[in-house]
């Protein structure tokens, strides 16, 4: 593999993280200690009590620490190549556009934004600035998921007939912004259900053509005033395949099961950061564990360094938001909603 020199020298690409919440502190920063092609170089937040200890622990220079107000000055920092947006969902659009205008490559956490118009605004900003953009879809880089894609798409157990995709977590009282529609854009569908949306496509290698959905009954009216507590939906595919999906904020579920003509295969847990377990009708499957986030970030750094496309492009983030809008519409109206996804220029193989 020929790796292009970056700005005339070989060095790891510098990553600045925007937001210093749970995902950054517990997953992304530790992953950046394992990456080969990129490294932690900066932090963006207006929470000095969190920034101080992180700055010290990871020996980050003061000039690489930005408040939200000063974020645009990052354009003048040659040590930072990639900005990784890890903020509440409704803030993604603003920070992606500001990062693009600052001339930085972008990784954006899921969901890309809270509606399709915001996704289109991000795509326009990225194209105008000529920077690269990757969704933070970590599971595309986990060997268990890559194997599930192979089994499904290559029909190694025959054509896929039915999928069961459940991804729920009991969020208890954590993360108040997740229950605030203005910040989250929606409930568990936007947060966890997006993984089921993704899996339905990459396990089958096909786009669903219609969806039906219904909201789960609300058991906690105090917490679920603005966003759904749970939602179930069924994707219909043209060849008769169906994917039955569920996500909830008051259940614990973590299953990906695929039933095909001559057997079945599944992951349980399926969507976690680690500890994934694979089984098929012919026995267990296992892989050396990888750090999903490190592999994901290294892949994007290599896309930049070797000038190749990412397999989790902005069009995929847009596509998934369009699908989630249709799921909400189906649940609200009780109707079967048609999906026309070919226009989103992504391959169903990823
Ligand atoms: P969090 O609540 O732990 O952190 C949010 C960060 O945003 C904090 O630094 C907080 O201070 C900052 N922030 C700025 N303005 C805020 C405001 N008005 N309200 C609340 N916080 C504000 O959240 P998190 O779990 O780290 O999630 C952040 C993003 O990462 C979300 O988009 C989420 O979907 C995504 N995420 C992805 C994964 C994954 O597996 N890929 C896992 C967890 C979270």
């Amino acid at each position: 593999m020929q790796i292009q020199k970056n700005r005339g020298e070989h060095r790891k690409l510098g990553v600045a993280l925007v937001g210093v919440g749970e995902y950054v502190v517990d997953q992304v920063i530790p992953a950046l200690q394992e990456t080969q092609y990129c490294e932690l170089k900066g932090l963006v937040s207006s929470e000095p009590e969190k920034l101080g200890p992180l700055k010290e622990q990871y020996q980050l220079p003061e000039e690489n620490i930005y408040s939200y107000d000063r974020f645009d000055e990052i354009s003048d920092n040659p040590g930072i190549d990639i900005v990784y947006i890890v903020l509440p969902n409704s803030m993604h659009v603003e920070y992606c556009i500001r990062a693009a205008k600052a001339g930085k490559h972008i990784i954006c956490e899921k969901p890309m934004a809270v509606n399709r118009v915001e996704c289109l605004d991000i795509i326009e900003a990225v194209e105008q600035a000529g920077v690269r953009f990757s969704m933070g879809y970590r599971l595309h880089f986990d060997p268990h998921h890559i194997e599930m894609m192979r089994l499904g798409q290559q029909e190694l157990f025959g054509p896929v007939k039915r999928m069961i995709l459940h991804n729920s977590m009991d969020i208890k009282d954590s993360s108040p912004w997740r229950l605030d529609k203005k910040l989250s854009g929606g409930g568990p569908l936007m947060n966890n259900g997006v993984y089921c949306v993704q899996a339905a496509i990459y396990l089958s290698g096909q786009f669903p053509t219609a969806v039906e959905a219904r909201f789960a009954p609300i058991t906690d009216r105090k917490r679920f005033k603005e966003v759904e507590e749970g939602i179930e939906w069924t994707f219909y595919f043209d060849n008769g395949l169906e994917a039955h999906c569920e996500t909830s904020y008051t259940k614990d579920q973590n299953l990906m099961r695929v039933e095909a003509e001559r057997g079945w295969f599944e992951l349980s847990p399926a969507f976690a950061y680690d500890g994934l377990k694979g089984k098929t009708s012919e026995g267990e499957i296992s892989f050396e564990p990888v750090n999903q986030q490190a592999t994901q970030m290294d892949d994007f750094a290599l896309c930049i360094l070797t000038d190749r496309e990412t397999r989790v492009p902005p069009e995929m983030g847009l596509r998934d938001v369009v699908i989630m809008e249709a799921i909400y519409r189906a649940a609200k109206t009780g109707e079967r909603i048609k999906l026309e996804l070919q226009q989103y220029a992504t391959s169903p193989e990823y």
Side-chain angles (χ1 to χ4, degrees):
M1 175 172 42
Q2 180 78 40
I3 297 183
Q4 287 182 355
K5 287 185 175 181
N6 188 54
R7 295 184 190 155
E9 56 185 341
H10 279 302
R11 66 172 174 87
K12 291 182 174 185
L13 298 185
V15 179
L17 303 172
V18 187
V20 285
E22 206 174 302
Y23 191 56
V24 159
V25 172
D26 294 350
Q27 304 299 329
V28 182
I29 293 182
L32 280 164
Q33 312 313 304
E34 293 185 29
T35 41
Q36 285 183 61
Y37 303 106
C38 54
E39 64 187 334
L40 178 65
K41 277 284 174 171
L43 294 171
V44 183
S45 166
S46 295
E47 295 160 291
E49 70 289 354
K50 286 193 191 164
L51 284 173
L54 290 171
K55 192 181 104 181
E56 200 165 301
Q57 183 176 356
Y58 296 101
Q59 296 179 357
L60 298 170
E62 185 58 38
E63 65 268 24
N64 287 9
I65 307 291
Y66 296 86
S67 62
Y68 296 122
D69 288 346
R70 281 189 49 238
F71 174 57
D72 308 287
E73 294 170 23
I74 209 163
S75 60
D76 299 328
N77 191 327
I80 291 171
D81 305 279
I82 299 170
V83 165
Y84 192 163
I85 316 291
V86 203
L87 291 167
N89 306 339
S90 68
M91 299 174 74
H92 293 181
V93 62
E94 177 188 340
Y95 284 85
C96 283
I97 292 173
R98 287 170 73 181
K101 285 191 175 151
K104 302 300 175 184
H105 303 296
I106 300 163
I107 309 176
C108 177
E109 258 318 314
K110 54 79 198 164
M112 182 173 180
V114 297
N115 59 51
R116 77 177 72 188
V117 174
E118 289 185 359
C119 295
L120 288 166
D121 288 346
I122 294 174
I123 291 175
E124 192 184 325
V126 163
E127 281 171 2
Q128 268 178 11
V131 296
R132 287 174 179 267
F133 178 103
S134 160
M135 285 300 301
Y137 285 148
R138 60 189 163 78
L139 295 177
H140 286 260
F141 305 94
D142 185 289
H144 297 82
H145 283 258
I146 293 168
E147 177 63 359
M148 294 284 130
M149 292 175 198
R150 189 182 76 89
L151 296 178
Q153 291 176 26
Q154 297 187 12
E155 300 189 345
L156 295 178
F157 289 88
V160 175
K161 297 289 179 199
R162 197 167 84 112
M163 295 183 267
I164 299 167
L165 304 165
H166 291 169
N167 189 17
S168 299
M169 61 181 195
D170 191 338
I171 62 165
K172 308 227 158 46
D173 287 329
S174 68
S175 310
W177 69 262
R178 287 194 163 84
L179 302 178
D180 177 341
K181 183 130 189 243
K182 272 212 292 300
L183 285 167
S184 61
L189 179 60
M190 299 295 266
N191 196 37
N192 305 323
V194 62
Y195 289 107
C196 304
V197 168
Q198 286 246 303
I201 295 172
Y202 65 62
L203 290 170
S204 62
Q206 299 168 49
F207 291 130
T209 51
V211 64
E212 284 176 5
R214 64 175 179 278
F215 292 117
I218 298 176
T219 62
D220 184 344
R221 295 219 162 258
K222 236 165 98 192
R223 281 197 301 156
F224 300 103
K225 285 195 285 260
E226 297 188 13
V227 302
E228 77 279 5
E229 178 175 330
I231 185 166
E232 289 175 36
W233 71 99
T234 303
F235 283 132
Y236 298 94
F237 296 73
D238 274 346
N239 62 357
L241 165 66
E242 292 184 3
H244 300 278
C245 308
E246 181 176 357
T247 184
S248 163
Y249 270 162
T250 49
K251 291 186 181 178
D252 278 314
Q253 294 176 311
N254 213 315
L255 172 71
M256 165 189 279
R257 181 176 167 88
V258 183
E259 294 167 358
E261 211 160 82
R262 295 192 301 276
W264 54 266
F265 46 98
E266 67 174 37
L267 291 179
S268 178
F271 304 104
Y273 304 136
D274 50 33
L276 306 194
K277 287 212 165 43
K279 269 197 250 162
T280 78
S281 43
E282 291 177 4
E284 291 194 357
I285 42 176
S286 65
F287 294 92
E288 280 295 304
V290 297
N291 183 311
Q292 295 169 349
Q293 292 83 359
T295 319
Q296 167 214 318
M297 288 187 279
D298 263 345
D299 187 82
F300 185 52
L302 279 174
C303 286
I304 297 165
L305 292 165
T306 65
D307 195 21
R308 74 166 154 79
E309 295 302 316
T310 168
R311 48 183 141 141
V312 287
E315 293 77 13
M316 182 183 273
L318 165 65
R319 178 198 77 192
D320 296 340
V321 168
V322 166
I323 296 173
M324 292 191 286
E325 287 179 344
I327 296 171
Y328 280 132
R329 210 160 53 247
K332 277 184 195 136
T333 61
E335 286 170 14
R336 185 181 284 212
I337 303 289
K338 267 195 176 168
L339 294 167
E340 281 165 21
L341 302 172
Q342 299 298 344
Q343 58 185 304
Y344 292 105
T346 62
S347 163
E349 289 168 16
Y350 294 124

